[in-house]
Amino acid sequence: MQPLRQTWPQHLAVLYREKGYWRGETMFGVLRTAAAAAPDKLAVVGTDGRWTYRELHERAERIARGLIAAGLTPGDRVVVQLPNCAAFLSVVFGLFRAGLIPVFSLSAHRETEIAHFLRGAEAVGYIVPDRHGGFDYRELARKVKQQVTTLRHVFVVGEAEEFIGLDDLPAGEVALPVDPSPESVAFLQISGGSTGLSKLIPRTHDDYIYSFRASAEICGMTPDTVFMASLPVAHNFPMSSPGIFGAIYVGARVVMCPSPNPETAFHWIEKERVTMTGLVPPLALLWMQAAGRTTFDISSLDVLQVGGAKFAPEAARRVSSTLRCRLQQVFGMAEGLVNYTRLDDPEDLVTETQGRPISPDDEILIVDDMGQPVPAGERGLLLTRGPYTIRAYHNDPSANQRAFTADGYYRTGDIVRMTPEGYLVVEGRAGDHINRAGEKISAEEIEDHLLAHPGVFDAAVVAIPDPYLGERSCAFVIPDGPKPATADLKAFIRGRGLAEFKVPDQIVFAESFETTAVGKVSRKVLRQRLREALLSREQEEV
Ligand code: J2J
């Protein structure tokens, strides 16, 4: 098995400890401490349960024992694919307690993606719900199990059928391991996949806990906070900025909202007196629209975080008058660096920037294409390193070569500028992915799937501005022979076992790409030219 590693240069590790960023805490220790401090306080609420800190702690320990008794060994990796529910926390803390390594996948992922994560992480376990959102995850587990023979254990939250039910795990006296080293890798998060397939992001206990502990402080979380996870909780944003883990760290209450649509979310805000939540921009727009006519009382909402994609300043300015709460912009990435506007910042900074880094030791470089720093205030590529930004992806030398500089900076692929106050404004990106309502789609990944269709000669996938989604995906396709039907192509992509959000929103057929791209150009330039040609054509039509 490939060892899991994430290391910083020794002198920096020493510095990060001296400065109190890395405190030697562990993920399970976070829950243990919170449960000891306030055992009877409500920890988590979901459609499946309402548990105090003591109950959550007990459930996690029981799951840990059961997983070990079922044959898992500390260090084993387990892909977790659970929706927003209370069991998400008991399962994940159970894995931490047993020394197992969760690999976080989204509910939207399908067999191709899950198989890729299982193989990449060499996972032996997979945890799914029985059904969710009208989809049967046991069916998915069956398909995946056929593809990946190293997958030994499938656990189901709910009706397990031929698999093992999380509630039916063997009980009994199993010894649990001692706490892992705080500098070891706690879990694998999944990258947005800017080039090709998603990469696995190893995060350590020390670095991740620092990021959500400091985030909780920046966001003013206290034990009185009621934090609602509105976005899918496996995303890094609702998980750690400060998210569910930040909330557990301070002993607050976590509400697992089963869906982010305003009807459902407003109901939960009223019922649990939610004070804080986070959204991607398209949902924020929807909530603002719905707030004017809702009959739910959402007056408890104090802070709305918006991030994952650029929030237009005009929309940002309307948050306080429509939702009657404060806005915080969040610009982060699962690889590490997270920026926040601060709650006491002047309105202009909050509405027009994406914030400043968590840590005084987050290093920011804004460079041109040659890697040279741009003059102050100008746009450039954002590079970063610091106490919670990774130095390498898991077991992927060529991705590491591309994504990190020789001196350890992570190339975010984002184009930003810095204001005189030291705040970042996101201006665009260099990478070829589509940011569809906060979900990142790799152009290359979808092109490869399209090329597998017998009726496709060539394909290029690009991002097109979209009033609702921020960006939508458009696939330019050169047919091989008769033009395939658009619906067929979409069904083909779906049939390849991919998340629904990756199915192209729009398909445009072309005879050749030469009409827009003269001579031989890189795919990157080709995508750019196709995008520009389409946009100018649309303008002419308006
Ligand atoms: C513009 N682009 C943004 C923003 C992320 C907190 C918040 C978000 C994420 C996240 C996260 C943006 N404006 N406010 O992990 O902890 C785009 C950038 C970035 C990429 C990272 C967190 N906030 N983005 O979105 O790993 O392009 O993390 O590099 O999913 O989203 O995507 P992801």
Side-chain angles (χ1 to χ4, degrees):
M1 207 158 53
Q2 284 291 331
L4 293 176
R5 243 188 247 118
Q6 192 60 253
T7 50
W8 283 257
Q10 182 61 20
H11 71 283
L12 286 178
V14 169
L15 181 84
Y16 297 156
R17 284 195 191 93
E18 268 173 16
K19 293 212 173 174
Y21 304 150
W22 296 356
R23 297 190 183 163
E25 299 167 297
T26 61
M27 289 300 289
F28 190 77
V30 167
L31 174 61
R32 186 190 284 132
T33 305
D40 296 316
K41 187 154 187 293
L42 201 51
V44 60
V45 179
T47 46
D48 57 330
R50 195 177 178 82
W51 307 327
T52 63
Y53 272 90
R54 180 192 288 112
E55 288 166 332
L56 177 61
H57 182 263
E58 281 172 7
R59 279 174 185 269
E61 291 229 315
R62 200 180 321 135
I63 290 172
R65 288 208 173 78
L67 292 171
I68 300 278
L72 289 167
T73 316
D76 281 347
R77 294 117 200 210
V78 178
V79 172
V80 179
Q81 191 180 26
L82 293 176
N84 292 12
C85 58
F88 183 93
L89 279 175
S90 57
V91 166
V92 169
F93 278 112
L95 290 165
F96 289 140
R97 182 64 191 93
L100 299 164
I101 311 289
V103 183
F104 293 116
S105 71
L106 301 173
S107 293
H109 285 137
R110 293 296 178 257
E111 65 263 29
T112 301
E113 288 127 346
I114 300 293
H116 173 69
F117 302 146
L118 286 165
R119 289 200 187 100
E122 297 165 276
V124 295
Y126 178 33
I127 304 184
V128 291
D130 47 9
R131 301 182 63 84
H132 171 70
F135 182 76
D136 191 330
Y137 284 81
R138 295 157 301 192
E139 271 300 313
L140 176 56
R142 274 175 211 122
K143 284 190 194 157
V144 162
K145 212 156 181 276
Q146 279 185 343
Q147 283 186 40
V148 187
T149 47
T150 44
L151 171 61
R152 283 191 277 121
H153 310 270
V154 175
F155 303 99
V156 179
V157 175
E159 281 297 318
E161 297 182 339
E162 75 269 35
F163 303 117
I164 307 170
L166 245 282
D167 290 333
D168 313 322
L169 284 173
E173 279 316 297
V174 178
L176 289 173
V178 294
D179 284 349
S181 159
E183 62 215 63
S184 66
V185 170
F187 60 87
L188 293 168
Q189 185 58 281
I190 278 159
S191 81
S194 50
T195 343
L197 300 173
S198 288
K199 295 170 285 288
L200 298 171
I201 301 174
R203 300 289 302 255
T204 66
H205 297 266
D206 266 336
D207 91 77
Y208 207 62
I209 293 173
Y210 170 46
S211 81
F212 63 71
R213 186 184 63 232
S215 294
E217 194 176 331
I218 288 168
C219 302
M221 268 190 168
T222 71
D224 293 330
T225 300
V226 181
F227 174 79
M228 183 163 84
S230 302
L231 296 170
V233 77
H235 271 298
N236 199 55
F237 177 18
M239 186 175 280
S240 68
S241 299
I244 55 171
F245 287 140
I248 298 288
Y249 193 95
V250 302
R253 182 191 311 176
V254 171
V255 176
M256 293 287 196
C257 189
S259 155
N261 73 51
E263 269 301 291
T264 311
F266 288 3
H267 160 78
W268 283 85
I269 293 175
E270 176 180 290
K271 185 163 155 288
E272 300 296 330
R273 308 297 299 152
V274 169
T275 62
M276 177 174 184
T277 194
L279 295 175
V280 289
L283 284 170
L285 296 179
L286 212 59
W287 282 33
M288 289 199 279
Q289 213 175 41
R293 44 184 158 74
T294 187
T295 53
F296 290 111
D297 173 10
I298 57 167
S299 60
S300 59
L301 193 63
D302 175 32
V303 176
L304 176 71
Q305 304 179 289
V306 179
K310 175 85 180 230
F311 198 31
E314 314 79 70
R317 266 182 232 113
R318 287 191 283 117
V319 168
S320 61
S321 59
T322 51
L323 288 161
R324 312 220 163 269
C325 66
R326 292 182 283 173
L327 167 68
Q328 176 179 56
Q329 295 215 41
V330 191
F331 162 41
M333 53 210 72
E335 285 81 354
L337 180 72
V338 183
N339 304 276
Y340 296 101
T341 57
R342 303 311 200 249
L343 294 175
D344 55 0
D345 277 339
E347 195 189 332
D348 283 354
L349 276 183
V350 174
T351 52
E352 280 164 32
T353 80
Q354 280 64 59
R356 65 179 159 89
I358 292 176
S359 176
D361 281 285
D362 280 321
E363 297 176 69
I364 299 288
L365 273 182
I366 304 177
V367 302
D368 61 21
D369 288 340
M370 308 305 289
Q372 294 305 311
V374 298
E378 290 194 8
R379 300 158 52 126
L381 297 162
L382 171 64
L383 308 185
T384 185
R385 57 183 188 188
Y388 60 96
T389 295
I390 59 162
R391 297 289 179 132
Y393 291 110
H394 176 59
N395 194 26
D396 198 338
S398 65
N400 287 335
Q401 184 80 34
R402 282 194 306 270
F404 299 89
T405 65
D407 47 2
Y409 281 92
Y410 169 57
R411 299 182 207 271
T412 66
D414 294 315
I415 297 170
V416 302
R417 67 179 164 85
M418 191 181 271
T419 69
E421 299 87 356
Y423 281 56
L424 296 175
V425 178
V426 181
E427 298 269 2
R429 72 170 165 270
D432 272 337
H433 67 257
I434 297 102
N435 187 336
R436 187 184 191 273
E439 300 289 4
K440 284 73 186 184
I441 306 164
S442 152
E444 191 181 309
E445 181 185 354
I446 307 310
E447 288 166 4
D448 284 347
H449 284 289
L450 284 166
L451 285 170
H453 190 286
V456 173
F457 175 72
D458 199 359
V461 175
V462 306
I464 301 289
D466 183 276
Y468 302 103
L469 299 165
E471 288 177 2
R472 66 175 186 272
S473 62
C474 174
F476 292 89
V477 169
I478 303 179
D480 191 0
K483 205 159 70 175
T486 299
D488 282 353
L489 277 181
K490 290 190 181 186
F492 177 78
I493 294 295
R494 230 170 255 129
R496 302 277 293 174
L498 298 175
E500 181 68 26
F501 65 77
K502 292 185 185 171
V503 176
D505 294 298
Q506 187 181 358
I507 293 178
V508 175
F509 290 99
E511 272 179 26
S512 85
F513 291 156
E514 297 305 312
T515 49
T516 48
V518 185
K520 193 168 162 48
V521 294
S522 70
R523 301 233 32 111
K524 194 174 163 48
V525 174
L526 172 66
R527 290 185 193 114
Q528 203 177 325
R529 290 190 184 168
L530 287 168
R531 181 190 305 125
E532 280 161 12
L534 180 78
L535 290 177
S536 61
R537 218 181 313 150
E538 276 179 0
Q539 287 250 284
E540 278 167 25
E541 281 164 15
V542 171

